[in-house]
Amino acid sequence: MKNLLLTAAGIVFSIAVCAQQTKTYAEKLGWPKGARVIIMHVDDAGMSHESNEGVEKAIGEGVATSTSVMMPCSWVPDFKHYMDKHPGIDAGLHLTLTSEWQNYRWGPLAGKVAVPGLVDKEGALWPNVIAVYFKASADEVDKEIRAQLDRALSMGFVPTHLDSHMGTLFAKPAFLEKYINLGIEKKIPVMLPGGEDLFYRAEAKNATIAQLKKDGKYTEGMTIPEPAELDKARAMGETAWKGGLPVLDDLDNSSYDWVMPDIDKATDKALQKWYTDHYIENFERFSPGLTMVLMHCTQPSPQFKNICNEGQKRKGDLLAMTDPRLKAYLKQKGFILTTWKEVMERRLKAGNE
């Protein structure tokens, strides 16, 4: 199994294949040339009751097609009960190595003794990715993500895929290798953007320009270098594919960075219009291929503010997903909505292509 994986040196959260690739991964998976195929994915199921309600509504009443569950969190049983009543739901594991909120924390399922490098002074997982990077070993990461998969399987929950909370598993090559090895070993798809990643390239360029402008160093027409890691990743996408796993062409996590003016004062109607407008604008820039769109749909209660201050932001995602205008737009533009379950079924049919 180890011989199957190449070293992941220098690869971080966004992974790209260089332009020599003649087919998108969507085409390799059997979709027609030029198709824009998207997995509309809601993170953070199991984190809170409000998170569960948001996921259930976004998928049950909206255009969202997939979710993933944070196994160390308190509201996992509640969501598992929902899955039992809705067996067709596309649900994976949101592999969780951080516990980012100040007053609502969770610890590792493997236990402190087994993974001391993943635990802070409160006995919880570290609050940020950088702490995991410096404190945890790859073996500890491996033990914890396997413990999270074990809990799911013990509950009778067979995940459709694996992905990474806060992108922590993409922070270090050794972590990434453990993550992909687990997927190949268990034949579970992993979130891995290994196509040309054109959306990310454009977003990275815009972010660099914004920073240069902020620093007073930007000149109109100047050459903006692409992130160096994008040129190092072709082998990783190909290796995952050869290991029997599907691969994404692109990844979009844009909505988390959107800043709506006076969002805390916005009505639901205004919130829905603003977020739907931004999603539509975003989708206009998508290239052909298989893209996973990440969001955090939540139905915030008055108590949700005691977990975090992002209730309105997350509600905006939910209101957009349930907006008939967004559904009509996607249909009009010919976007194809899919799930991880379908993607893996197509990968099995594709064989050794």
Side-chain angles (χ1 to χ4, degrees), residues 146-271:
R146 287 175 181 274
Q148 292 180 24
L149 175 58
D150 180 70
R151 184 190 184 194
L153 296 175
S154 296
M155 298 173 77
F157 166 24
V158 179
T160 57
H161 69 285
L162 308 174
D163 58 51
S164 177
H165 182 55
M166 296 177 68
T168 312
L169 286 163
F170 292 81
K172 185 181 287 190
F175 296 173
L176 183 61
E177 185 172 343
K178 296 296 186 183
Y179 165 66
I180 299 176
N181 265 325
L182 180 60
I184 292 175
E185 175 188 332
K186 302 297 184 180
K187 302 301 180 186
I188 302 174
V190 298
M191 179 188 74
L192 185 67
E196 291 200 41
D197 226 344
L198 297 175
F199 185 91
Y200 175 75
R201 288 175 185 268
E203 291 296 287
K205 180 178 180 180
N206 291 337
T208 300
I209 291 173
Q211 186 62 49
L212 288 170
K213 287 181 176 179
K214 182 178 179 181
D215 297 339
K217 298 178 180 179
Y218 179 72
T219 302
E220 192 68 37
M222 69 184 296
T223 300
I224 305 298
E226 292 185 341
E229 64 270 8
L230 291 178
D231 295 324
K232 301 176 182 179
R234 182 176 186 179
M236 188 55 64
E238 292 177 348
T239 299
W241 181 266
K242 289 175 182 177
L245 301 183
V247 180
L248 298 168
D249 288 292
D250 218 333
L251 187 69
D252 171 33
N253 191 28
S254 300
S255 74
Y256 204 76
D257 295 324
W258 295 342
V259 180
M260 180 182 180
D262 297 320
I263 189 171
D264 291 332
K265 300 176 183 178
T267 64
D268 284 0
K269 183 177 181 180
L271 200 61

